[in-house]
Amino acid sequence: MDLTAGAGSAAQRVSAPAAVGPAIHEGRFGRRLRSLLPWPNQPGDPVGGLLRAHRQQHPRGNVALLRKGYLVADRMHHGQLRKSGEPYITHPLAVARILADLGMDTTTLVAALLHDTVEDTSYTLEELTAAFGGEVALLVDGVTKFDKVYFGANAEAETIRKMLVRAGKDIRVLVIKMADRLHNMQTLAARSPASRARIARATSEVLVPLCDRLGIQALKRQLEDAVLWTLEPEWYARIDEHRHNQRDRAGFLSAVIGTLQSELNRAKITATVTDRPRHYYSIWKDSVAAGHDDPHDLPRVVIVVDGRQTDCYAALGTVHTTWRPVPGRFKDFIASPKNNLYRSLHTTVLGPGDQPLEVLIRTEPMHKTAEYGIVVNFRDPEYTARLSRQAREEQVAWLKRVLDWQSVAEDATSFLDALRCDLTEGQVQVFTTDGRRIQLPSGSTPVDLAYALSTETGHGCVGAKRDGRLVPLGTPLADGEVVEIISENRLDSGPSREWLSFVRTPAAQLQINLWFQQVAGETGGGAAGPDTVAHRVQLGMAALSLALRHRDRGLGDDRLLLSLAGELGYPDQEALLVAVAEDRIPAGDVADRLISSVDRSPVDEPPG
Ligand code: MN
């Protein structure tokens, strides 16, 4: 994009002092950030703001436990400074505050206050468990990073895998991680430009899509805006100026809201209409996609109806009879929800003075889900209790799927690659003949669908019918298609090697590879023959990897194995692995020793 031209036109439009140089990085974003930090406003009680925020959503939250968490964290981080020069405790406190504002429960906030103690101080997981219980310990352990010294280049991938496995046990691990990253992103100014860019990219590759999958828009907006502020500071400043210099915007919106409110009243639909400005990142994305140099930012309102789903369509009728709809802009995410369960009607109309206006329509529960996603479970447990079992299962279906294929991924790096692929691809939604709705990455084939249904269905897949007609197994499926998988469950059935050339989903790829490895293993067709030392080393390594996997861990650095071999009196690591293969030393023992040698060593590498 041409930044110079854009900056020039922005300068013409704005008479206020131009935001250039370092001012871009301060600006409103910095001010918004400072208002988030509870520090300067509560000179007496550093946790006062946090407690009040928590009490707003949870009047009976355990304040004493929160204070205890703060005191321990404050003592353990005592004397540590952040790169910005502030006392370290400001970070966990700000993370807890972000989570309190989201409406998370007391346990989450306590874990947030303590989330860096095990990683960055002498505090151990055992001490934490004894003082705060297993639930808080699980959450803290879930966001604790593996040490680069021991896990080498795999540390990052292993850390993400561990985090997701822990999240499978308790989804709050991911919510804490996102708040942690958000605060780190908001305080990136103190770091070098290179590390700022690296952290921002990692955030937009993995954490933002994860946040989207869990439907937590309230956090995702802030994460994305922080990414934009870091990677495209000029665009951020330009959108910020644009937003604050649209004098006619407020007048236009209040006219729109007034008209809509009275038209809805006349139609006897109880609803509230409010301004719903887009966040900066989404303005930037749309502007760049459309080739604009100026921010492309349509006014937008949301209608929240106090009633049932059918009232949304009635409200849509009112909108479309008040102003002319723009063809092709209507989307029904109520009939076809997005994969994160987001539901709403979207339309664009030509409002007063033929100015385009975006309108979102939803019920109160849809609005809650749109804003908080999975967080609703903790913010409003009574609401979740009323959901059907199926609805609750659908909330975490995506994570279950990821955890299924993580258990067969060869190593953490291939797992992370698969995860990135799953997160970045567009999605299609297909239906099985028994009415199940399955989300797949776009470009997926009937074989991908078969493996998404079950591993056995995948291995036994012999044909597929799309809308009633047989199609080749490599045909890409399109959104909305009804697909029937023909699968035979015979002893000699199995995947074809050719499938590897067209499957798109990690699940299918991993299961097909695994099948061939097992067949190759049984017939002795592997790389090493059955009776060689090399084969026994391989077997030992496989047994050890499996034992580590069962403990949610992985091996990143051979040096660790080498030093353990020495400790146990073996000449080298191969000798130790042969001993494992011949069962002279149990794989589980070796795994436990490796893990305790890693956990013993202190780590010092903020932020996460
Ligand atoms: Mn942290």
Side-chain angles (χ1 to χ4, degrees):
M1 80 209 81
D2 185 359
L3 287 173
T4 336
S9 61
Q12 282 163 13
R13 202 174 44 237
V14 180
S15 54
V20 286
I24 290 170
H25 263 94
E26 270 295 301
R28 277 190 196 86
F29 190 79
R31 286 202 290 281
R32 208 162 84 194
L33 173 66
R34 274 195 298 280
S35 70
L36 235 159
L37 300 172
W39 224 241
N41 304 330
Q42 279 92 34
D45 182 5
V47 266
L50 175 65
L51 300 181
R52 276 193 296 278
H54 185 41
R55 278 284 174 92
Q56 261 191 2
Q57 190 65 31
H58 300 276
R60 279 176 301 186
N62 189 341
V63 166
L65 193 62
L66 267 182
R67 281 204 184 276
K68 180 179 162 196
Y70 174 78
L71 286 175
V72 171
D74 190 35
R75 195 177 69 228
M76 296 316 298
H77 287 296
H78 186 78
Q80 292 180 336
L81 295 179
R82 302 202 83 214
K83 283 226 160 67
S84 62
E86 284 178 294
Y88 196 87
I89 188 68
T90 55
H91 166 63
L93 192 54
V95 173
R97 180 60 194 270
I98 291 168
L99 293 163
D101 289 340
L102 272 181
M104 292 300 285
D105 59 323
T106 310
T107 309
T108 306
L109 304 193
V110 172
L113 287 169
L114 294 158
H115 82 271
D116 276 331
T117 53
V118 174
E119 187 173 308
D120 295 335
T121 77
S122 59
Y123 206 47
T124 65
L125 205 54
E126 286 72 32
E127 291 172 281
L128 179 75
T129 314
F132 294 96
E135 225 180 344
V136 171
L138 173 81
L139 295 177
V140 171
D141 187 40
V143 294
T144 298
K145 269 188 297 200
F146 283 132
D147 189 352
K148 271 207 189 101
V149 175
Y150 292 95
F151 280 86
N154 278 349
E156 194 193 344
E158 288 290 1
T159 298
I160 292 175
R161 177 160 79 176
K162 177 177 100 165
M163 179 176 78
L164 287 169
V165 171
R166 295 289 195 283
K169 294 180 185 135
D170 193 329
I171 195 75
R172 291 175 292 184
V173 167
L174 278 179
V175 185
I176 295 175
K177 182 68 201 179
M178 281 159 196
D180 177 33
R181 180 60 61 88
L182 176 60
H183 184 248
N184 283 331
M185 289 289 305
Q186 288 174 334
T187 47
L188 277 182
R191 299 175 69 98
S192 73
S195 80
R196 278 209 294 256
R198 183 179 56 78
I199 295 170
R201 281 202 195 90
T203 302
S204 64
E205 263 182 19
V206 178
L207 278 181
V208 169
L210 273 174
C211 201
D212 182 67
R213 290 288 199 274
L214 299 177
I216 317 171
Q217 291 305 312
L219 267 189
K220 188 189 157 205
R221 281 196 296 267
Q222 298 186 59
L223 272 173
E224 284 188 330
D225 280 354
V227 166
L228 183 70
W229 179 65
T230 306
L231 295 180
E232 299 282 350
E234 287 87 2
W235 261 104
Y236 187 95
R238 205 183 310 161
I239 295 169
D240 197 45
E241 274 182 22
H242 173 76
R243 180 55 65 78
H244 289 89
N245 285 292
Q246 284 175 304
R247 285 202 197 83
D248 49 343
R249 186 193 180 91
F252 176 76
L253 277 169
S254 73
V256 159
I257 290 171
T259 307
L260 272 180
Q261 200 75 68
S262 63
E263 291 297 324
L264 288 166
N265 286 349
R266 256 190 355 168
K268 302 214 164 29
I269 300 165
T270 318
T272 50
V273 188
T274 41
D275 181 13
R276 187 79 178 163
R278 280 174 175 278
H279 66 294
Y280 290 10
Y281 183 92
S282 92
I283 297 171
W284 169 78
K285 210 175 70 177
D286 284 2
S287 305
V288 170
H292 294 292
D293 278 335
D294 290 335
H296 188 64
D297 175 25
L298 293 186
R300 188 170 69 167
V301 294
V302 61
I303 301 175
V304 178
V305 300
D306 178 14
R308 287 147 33 122
Q309 182 171 311
T310 45
D311 296 327
C312 293
Y313 294 94
L316 178 75
T318 304
V319 173
H320 282 181
T321 46
T322 308
W323 294 303
R324 194 153 54 82
V326 176
R329 293 298 303 264
F330 171 65
K331 290 198 189 92
D332 187 344
F333 293 118
I334 291 179
S336 317
K338 291 189 184 179
N339 58 342
N340 58 12
L341 309 183
Y342 173 86
R343 299 198 300 159
S344 273
L345 302 176
H346 289 193
T347 187
T348 304
V349 294
L350 294 176
D354 273 351
Q355 270 200 67
L357 165 75
E358 292 181 341
V359 184
L360 314 178
I361 306 168
R362 48 178 79 146
T363 64
E364 187 63 51
M366 288 176 200
H367 188 52
K368 259 191 191 168
T369 306
E371 196 62 10
Y372 298 108
I374 198 92
V375 165
V376 169
N377 300 1
F378 307 97
R379 190 184 158 83
D380 191 354
E382 281 175 27
Y383 167 73
T384 310
R386 288 198 302 272
L387 291 179
S388 69
R389 207 181 125 196
Q390 193 201 349
R392 266 175 286 162
E393 277 171 5
E394 272 185 31
Q395 284 185 324
V396 287
W398 173 80
L399 185 62
K400 286 253 144 50
R401 193 156 52 81
V402 167
L403 292 176
D404 279 350
W405 43 261
Q406 86 81 25
S407 67
V408 295
E410 243 169 78
D411 54 58
T413 312
S414 65
F415 166 69
L416 186 60
D417 287 345
L419 177 70
R420 279 211 190 94
C421 159
D422 190 276
L423 289 174
T424 51
E425 301 268 350
Q427 302 258 311
V428 294
Q429 182 168 264
V430 296
F431 298 88
T432 61
T433 35
D434 57 355
R436 286 170 69 186
R437 190 175 69 217
I438 310 276
Q439 293 277 351
L440 294 166
S442 42
S444 289
T445 63
V447 173
D448 291 293
L449 174 61
Y451 278 100
L453 294 173
S454 78
T455 303
E456 292 70 42
T457 311
H459 288 339
C461 180
V462 291
K465 283 183 182 174
R466 185 176 61 187
D467 295 328
R469 261 187 240 163
L470 274 172
V471 289
L473 287 176
T475 316
L477 300 172
D479 207 29
E481 282 176 341
V482 179
V483 183
E484 181 187 355
I485 297 297
I486 306 164
S487 183
E488 287 180 357
N489 206 353
R490 295 199 320 258
L491 267 181
D492 60 341
S493 60
S496 148
R497 276 198 191 276
E498 189 211 343
W499 293 358
L500 286 170
S501 66
F502 58 70
V503 293
R504 293 301 291 266
T505 53
Q509 224 157 45
L510 294 166
Q511 290 296 353
I512 296 167
N513 276 323
L514 196 68
W515 192 88
F516 281 110
Q517 270 167 31
Q518 278 165 356
V519 168
E522 276 163 23
T523 56
D531 274 333
T532 62
V533 171
H535 180 63
R536 267 174 281 168
V537 169
Q538 258 185 14
L539 271 181
M541 194 63 196
L544 178 58
S545 302
L546 193 67
L548 283 167
R549 185 79 45 84
H550 284 149
R551 291 159 176 77
D552 296 337
R553 305 295 275 263
L555 185 67
D557 190 334
D558 283 355
R559 275 174 300 175
L560 194 57
L561 198 55
L562 185 62
S563 77
L564 180 63
E567 268 175 51
L568 295 172
Y570 293 94
D572 52 34
Q573 49 175 325
E574 280 77 15
L576 173 60
L577 290 171
V578 169
V580 169
E582 291 170 352
D583 228 4
R584 282 183 280 126
I585 175 168
D589 283 7
V590 179
D592 288 336
R593 279 165 186 274
L594 285 172
I595 290 169
S596 66
S597 71
V598 173
D599 290 350
R600 243 186 284 133
S601 57
V603 185
D604 183 26
E605 206 228 338

